[in-house]
Amino acid sequence: MFMLFYSMAGAQKVVKALAALAQGDAGAFAPGALSGIVADRVVQTNTEPLLAHFFIGQHWLTMPMYFSVFFVQLFALVAVFRPRLHVAWGYALIGFHMGTWLLMEIVFVQHVTLLALLMVMSPQRRFDGVVPMLAAVPLLGRPFRVRGAPQGPASEVVT
């Protein structure tokens, strides 16, 4: 259920971004989208987060970060059913929360703790190499799949 909330947040981000795009606005797909959100947060809260001022002007750096968050959140629920992704997705979401703290001073201590317990230290986690882990990544893993190797849910089951 915890990871379902991340997937719903990711889906909401994607739907809103596509709706804005359909209306002729770049929205979240604009190169400076994350920079704009961070700048707006700094102005609203009158705070100075540790890395905010650096990242506000770095569109080339914030754009891939923002799209990565979309992807990781959107497929968080899928990662639950792929033990090879537990650790990677756990660390990716912890990184998202650390970035939120460093860029906007929004702290998610409970989320980070739960991610560490439920994903990074998952009893079902499985690591049998980087290539099999990359092959399990939704949408992007196809080039890493070894021909002839079993695929699908049966190959993910921990014995």
Side-chain angles (χ1 to χ4, degrees), residues 24-148:
D25 180 20
F29 294 126
L34 180 59
S35 299
I37 291 169
V38 172
D40 187 52
R41 171 77 180 176
V42 168
V43 170
Q44 283 181 5
T45 59
N46 197 25
T47 58
E48 292 203 25
L50 188 61
L51 297 178
H53 292 291
F54 172 74
F55 278 93
I56 286 172
Q58 307 300 325
H59 303 315
W60 61 273
L61 192 55
T62 60
M63 194 169 158
M65 289 169 44
Y66 202 38
F67 290 155
S68 297
V69 167
F70 278 32
F71 184 81
V72 170
Q73 283 188 333
L74 185 63
F75 291 106
L77 188 60
V78 173
V80 169
F81 298 102
R82 297 184 182 182
R84 287 183 174 129
L85 297 178
H86 284 191
V87 175
W89 243 252
Y91 280 132
L93 288 168
I94 289 171
F96 157 67
H97 287 302
M98 296 303 291
T100 303
W101 172 64
L102 292 169
L103 294 176
M104 295 185 260
E105 286 188 354
I106 301 172
V107 181
F108 292 95
V109 176
Q110 294 88 355
H111 291 78
V112 170
T113 304
L114 283 171
L115 285 164
L117 290 172
L118 297 175
M119 295 300 285
V120 176
M121 299 305 296
S122 165
Q124 286 83 29
R125 71 186 184 270
R126 179 177 175 189
F127 185 76
D128 48 3
V130 174
V131 173
M133 181 195 65
L134 291 173
V137 173
L139 300 180
L140 305 177
R142 187 170 296 270
F144 299 99
R145 293 190 184 131
V146 178
R147 191 171 196 106

Side-chain angles (χ1 to χ4, degrees), residues 6-20:
Y6 282 108
S7 287
M8 290 188 324
Q12 181 184 23
K13 285 180 175 83
V14 170
V15 166
K16 284 186 175 186
L18 290 173

